[in-house]
């Protein structure tokens, strides 16, 4: 519940904006969200439309205008979605090949790893996750594209005083750590506040992006902010810290 799906969707949106000018496209494969849920997130992230307004289907004129503008914006982007289930490595590869033949694939985002299907008899969840992780790695190499695989974490961090996630929290398999070129974690301190009811939905939530592994670069912590009502991450305005 740190916002991994929203961040993954923003990666795809931003990449598609680049691709609109430079060629290619972004493919977002979701096992967790339906097409309607993705549409809602797009309205929030791009159109700045309050999620509660979408839930209640009650919109101001400015929100309706923003929804129309968002639709036009999304229609103009080389941004593609797949919500078909089950999702296997074979089905992902088939979609990637089809898009590459059309010259429309530059980045792939998968939401999320633990919900993929091996497509065959299970070998135990730990073994399965390793097979899936290596499968996504092979797709990245075959098509020479970045593949962003979102992952759930174990609950181990909740038992520690410092709730920041670490490598061993990657759920069900150490293969994720070894296969990935980059591993990043999201951490929002206010998520662990003693009184969650005291949250101010209008106040952005400071978020740490913890780069715990970077095969070709540095590791460390970057800080951004999460706007809860619109489920969107943004840079922290200069002078706010």
């Amino acid at each position: 519940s740190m916002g991994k799906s929203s961040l993954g969707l923003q990666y795809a949106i931003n990449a598609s904006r680049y691709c609109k000018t430079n060629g290619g496209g972004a493919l977002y494969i979701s096992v967790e969200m339906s097409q309607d849920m993705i549409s809602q997130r797009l309205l929030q992230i791009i159109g700045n439309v309050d999620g509660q307004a979408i839930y209640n289907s009650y919109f101001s004129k400015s929100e309706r205008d923003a929804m129309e503008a968002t639709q036009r914006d999304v229609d103009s982007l080389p941004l593609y979605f797949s919500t078909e289930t089950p999702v296997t490595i074979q089905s992902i590869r088939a979609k990637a090949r089809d898009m590459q033949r059309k010259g429309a694939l530059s980045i792939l985002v998968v939401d999320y790893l633990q919900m993929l299907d091996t497509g065959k008899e299970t070998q135990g969840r730990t073994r399965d996750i390793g097979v899936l992780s290596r499968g996504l790695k092979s797709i990245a190499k075959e098509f020479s594209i970045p593949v962003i695989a979102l992952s759930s974490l174990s609950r181990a961090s909740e038992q520690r005083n410092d709730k920041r996630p670490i490598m061993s929290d990657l759920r069900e398999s150490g293969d994720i750590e070894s296969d990935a070129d980059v591993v990043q974690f999201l951490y929002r301190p206010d998520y662990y506040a003693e009184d969650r009811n005291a949250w101010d939905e209008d106040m952005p939530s400071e978020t740490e992006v913890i780069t715990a592994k970077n095969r070709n670069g540095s590791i460390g912590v970057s800080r951004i902010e999460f706007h809860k009502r619109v489920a969107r991450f943004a840079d922290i305005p200069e002078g706010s810290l």
Side-chain angles (χ1 to χ4, degrees):
S1 300
M2 288 289 148
K4 66 181 183 297
S5 294
S6 290
L7 186 61
L9 191 52
Q10 282 186 253
Y11 281 148
I13 293 168
N14 292 341
S16 71
R17 294 196 189 285
Y18 176 85
C19 293
K20 183 178 179 180
T21 303
N22 298 278
L27 173 60
Y28 187 92
I29 294 179
S30 178
V31 193
E32 185 176 38
M33 293 193 294
S34 66
Q35 188 65 51
D36 286 344
M37 293 171 69
I38 291 175
S39 297
Q40 175 177 328
R41 290 290 178 91
L42 291 172
L43 289 174
Q44 291 178 275
I45 293 169
I46 298 176
N48 202 37
V49 178
D50 191 325
Q52 195 61 43
I54 297 174
Y55 179 78
N56 294 328
S57 298
Y58 182 81
F59 306 102
S60 65
K61 183 180 184 306
S62 62
E63 286 172 330
R64 291 186 182 279
D65 291 342
M67 291 168 66
E68 292 177 4
T70 298
Q71 185 63 61
R72 291 192 297 270
D73 190 10
V74 172
D75 287 345
S76 73
L77 295 174
L79 177 59
Y80 307 94
F81 300 100
S82 175
T83 58
E84 297 174 2
T85 57
V87 178
T88 65
I89 294 298
Q90 291 75 19
S91 69
I92 294 173
R93 180 175 276 110
K95 286 184 175 65
R97 284 176 178 161
D98 183 55
M99 288 188 62
Q100 192 175 64
R101 281 195 296 268
K102 299 173 183 176
L105 182 64
S106 302
I107 185 173
L108 168 66
V109 180
V110 179
D111 182 16
Y112 60 91
L113 181 60
Q114 282 77 10
M115 292 190 72
L116 298 184
D117 193 323
T118 60
K120 55 185 177 182
E121 186 176 348
T122 181
Q123 304 176 52
R125 198 55 186 158
T126 298
R127 291 280 301 277
D128 288 349
I129 294 298
V131 169
L132 295 169
S133 177
R134 288 189 293 276
L136 292 177
K137 179 81 171 183
S138 71
I139 288 174
K141 294 174 70 175
E142 177 182 347
F143 297 99
S144 298
I145 59 169
V147 173
I148 299 174
L150 308 184
S151 173
S152 59
L153 300 179
S154 70
R155 296 286 185 180
S157 64
E158 297 184 3
Q159 310 306 316
R160 302 191 297 263
N161 289 331
D162 186 350
K163 309 297 186 186
R164 289 173 176 81
I166 57 178
M167 287 287 202
S168 59
D169 296 330
L170 286 169
R171 191 169 182 180
E172 295 172 318
S173 178
D175 289 314
I176 303 172
E177 176 184 347
S178 61
D179 291 335
D181 292 324
V182 177
V183 176
Q184 291 184 320
F185 298 108
L186 289 176
Y187 172 68
R188 287 170 33 213
D190 69 353
Y191 181 84
Y192 296 101
E194 290 186 11
D195 184 7
R196 295 282 296 277
N197 293 324
W199 272 14
D200 186 345
E201 292 290 331
D202 295 316
M203 290 295 293
S205 171
E206 183 179 328
T207 305
E208 295 180 8
V209 181
I210 303 167
T211 302
K213 176 185 178 181
N214 189 349
R215 200 184 301 276
N216 300 306
S218 59
I219 61 174
V221 178
S222 302
R223 287 178 171 80
I224 55 178
E225 57 185 25
F226 182 64
H227 297 259
K228 305 180 191 72
R229 287 192 181 277
V230 292
R232 183 181 64 203
F233 290 94
D235 291 333
I236 296 176
E238 188 175 350
S240 295
L241 290 179

